[in-house]
Every structure is written in C-alpha cells, then in structure tokens.
Amino acid sequence: MKLKNVFGKTLSLICFGAAVLVSSCMDEDRLTLQDTQDITEEAVTDSYFQDMDDMAGVAVQSPSDDQFSGGRVSTTITISDDRFQCDGIIVTIVPAENSTIEIPKGVLTVDFGVTGCTDLRGNIRTGKLIFTYSGWRFQPGSTVITTTDNYTINGIRLEGTRTLTNVTGSTSDAPKFNAVLVNGKATFVDLSVATRESNITWQWNKGVVLDLTDDYLLIDQSSEANGVTRGGRNYEVSLTKALKFKRSCGGIPVEGIKKYLIDGDKEIVIDYGDGTCDRKIVVTVNGITRSLTVD
C-alpha cells in the first residue's frame, strides 16, 4: 500500500466541505476560504511526508543479502517501484561496518536529479532522499531515519527529520509503525513557507482475501500534528477517534474523527462515520454542524 494514495485523496473531501458550508453566520462559525486553504495545505504536506515513509520502506527492502552485508562498499541498486524508475535516477547503498543479513544497517541515498522524475500518477520529484536504516522493514524495533537534500515533490521543497519505527510487538500480519517528524518545513513555489511537527502511529492490516477488499489502514487516536500555515496561522491536528481507511473505499476514511484547532480558538471537526463505506461525513465548525455526502 502506498500511503500517499490514501492520504492525498482527502483533499476532495475538504474542498467539497468548503463549498457547502456557506451561510450568513460569522466567519468563526463556518468554514471560510482561508480555513479551506489551510486544511488543504496541511493535508498536502502530510501526504507528502507520508509518501516519504512508504518510499523509505520500499527502498530498504530492495537490496540483496550481499548488498546489505557487503561492508562499507558503495554500490548502486534497482528498486522495483515506479517512483524510483526514471532515467537518470541513482540509488546508492553504503552498508555499515556491522551490517548483517539479520540486522542490516547503513545509508541508502536516492538521487532523483535536477530535471525531475515523474511517476505514474504524475508526481515529479527532484533532489535527494537519504535513508539511514537499521533492521528489516517488518522487523520489530527497526528504524529508518529520512532526511532530505534539496528534495522537492511537485515543486514543494520538503525539509526535516522523519523517524519511522516499527513498534509491532512481534512479527505480524498487521505491522504497526510510529513516524515522528521534527523541524518539518515545506517551501512552496511562491517561496511561502509552512512548518510542521507530527507524531503519527498507524497499523497496516494487510487483509487475507485476494482482491484485498479487507485490507485497511488504522491511524491511532494518539496521533497528532501542529505547525504554522503559509498564511501565518497556527494549527493543531488531533484525533478523538482513530481513523480507518479501507482500500476499497477510494481513500476517504470510513470511520474516525479528526479535529483542527486554528489559532487556538476555531475548531473544525470532521466525523467520517461508523465504518460504512457510504462517503457520508459530518462537519462541525465551532458547534455548527452539517451532514454531507462526498462526491
């Protein structure tokens, strides 16, 4: 599962809500254009950092046993994922001196170049992603620390340190991960800047049927984020109920409650329902509630 596909599609939900929640109420009691821009920006930035987590996991699983345990010898590798398969991309792995097949350690660098690599979904990446890894992706306690070197996606430059840890108690069909972002920064094409810190825990339930209709992602209720928008407004994001995404439901959560607090006083709550794949939500702005159906 590529996480960006799950999180990125929340944008249509936010925009739809903004179009419907217009009334004669004061701005503090409705979803304004500025609110929509800020929430959309948060969703975009979150999805791009989540994409880095998924790319880190895919990349670290790709080297052969020999490449993992070959000592401090730099070598190039090929990764079977469309995001890494443009002409001119260079993927380099340098194992640590104490790297073993059982516990691989080292640094894997993906250089997308300066002209840009376009994936099958139209996303364009430039610059470098640097993954410092310890352990296999699905090994309890394994970590991948992601940093960037002039890395951009769709013209947005991302910075910060992202630490992904497998917090599963044991090897499981439902691995659980914690992703902590420190000093997150997104610089947009117009040179405006948004900052972000986050601590997100999620569990991937892989499913057992062939068509993956029982495959789902669960974002833990403890997950949270905060930052400053491009327009200078402070925001906090929290969950009052865990978010559940089903692969078969088009990327919109089917369950859970997400809350935005903007500048400490405006509260925007999105309730995604009880698990039914019906695309119905309830949006509440400072106590004013509307029921919506997302197209």
Side-chain angles (χ1 to χ4, degrees):
M1 175 184 291
K2 293 181 174 64
L3 296 182
K4 71 176 290 296
N5 296 344
V6 175
F7 289 90
K9 292 181 181 178
T10 61
L11 303 187
S12 61
L13 168 62
I14 298 302
C15 295
F16 178 84
V20 173
L21 288 179
V22 290
S23 67
S24 59
C25 300
M26 298 296 290
D27 282 354
E28 61 266 22
D29 293 329
R30 66 184 180 91
L31 198 64
T32 66
L33 177 60
Q34 185 63 59
D35 297 334
T36 304
Q37 292 172 341
D38 290 342
I39 292 174
T40 300
E41 172 193 298
E42 188 274 333
V44 169
T45 307
D46 181 38
S47 70
Y48 286 166
F49 277 112
Q50 291 281 351
D51 177 54
M52 287 166 54
D53 289 342
D54 190 52
M55 294 175 73
V58 171
V60 170
Q61 287 294 108
S62 298
S64 66
D65 290 349
D66 289 342
Q67 290 167 332
F68 266 137
S69 58
R72 295 185 60 83
V73 177
S74 176
T75 185
T76 58
I77 65 172
T78 300
I79 301 175
S80 298
D81 185 290
D82 66 90
R83 293 169 292 179
F84 300 93
Q85 293 182 345
C86 293
D87 291 339
I89 278 188
I90 300 174
V91 182
T92 305
I93 182 172
V94 182
E97 290 182 354
N98 59 343
S99 181
T100 64
I101 295 176
E102 291 77 19
I103 305 179
K105 298 179 181 181
V107 178
L108 193 154
T109 302
V110 182
D111 187 348
F112 294 97
V114 297
T115 58
C117 171
T118 304
D119 67 19
L120 295 179
R121 296 164 189 84
N123 297 300
I124 303 173
R125 298 176 178 82
T126 66
K128 296 180 181 179
L129 287 176
I130 303 163
F131 306 125
T132 301
Y133 59 89
S134 177
W136 293 95
R137 180 185 188 185
F138 296 114
Q139 183 180 54
S142 65
T143 61
V144 181
I145 300 173
T146 301
T147 53
T148 65
D149 181 358
N150 203 29
Y151 172 74
T152 71
I153 177 170
N154 298 329
I156 300 175
R157 179 175 176 175
L158 298 182
E159 301 172 70
T161 300
R162 183 92 170 182
T163 302
L164 181 68
T165 305
N166 185 324
V167 294
T168 313
S170 60
T171 302
S172 170
D173 289 334
K176 192 172 186 178
F177 299 88
N178 174 249
V180 176
L181 174 65
V182 177
N183 296 324
K185 180 180 178 181
T187 303
F188 293 77
V189 177
D190 62 0
L191 300 184
S192 59
V193 173
T195 62
R196 181 179 179 82
E197 308 265 339
S198 63
N199 189 329
I200 298 171
T201 299
W202 50 273
Q203 180 170 304
W204 177 17
N205 294 268
K206 300 179 185 179
V208 294
V209 297
L210 292 178
D211 61 4
L212 298 178
T213 53
D214 60 345
D215 182 272
Y216 68 91
L217 191 75
L218 194 66
I219 310 297
D220 193 89
Q221 185 175 328
S222 64
S223 300
E224 58 185 6
N226 65 83
V228 179
T229 69
R230 299 160 70 185
R233 297 208 295 177
N234 294 290
Y235 71 86
E236 299 176 18
V237 183
S238 60
L239 302 182
T240 57
K241 183 178 180 181
L243 295 182
K244 184 176 183 179
F245 295 81
K246 289 183 180 179
R247 180 188 291 268
S248 57
C249 291
I252 294 174
V254 298
E255 186 174 340
I257 301 174
K258 187 174 187 178
K259 179 173 73 175
Y260 292 89
L261 185 63
I262 299 176
D263 275 342
D265 58 6
K266 186 166 189 176
E267 184 178 270
I268 301 169
V269 179
I270 304 175
D271 186 338
Y272 295 96
D274 59 3
T276 303
C277 189
D278 57 9
R279 306 182 74 82
K280 294 180 180 180
I281 63 169
V282 175
V283 178
T284 303
V285 182
N286 279 1
I288 306 299
T289 298
R290 299 287 188 277
S291 296
L292 309 173
T293 299
V294 182
D295 291 335

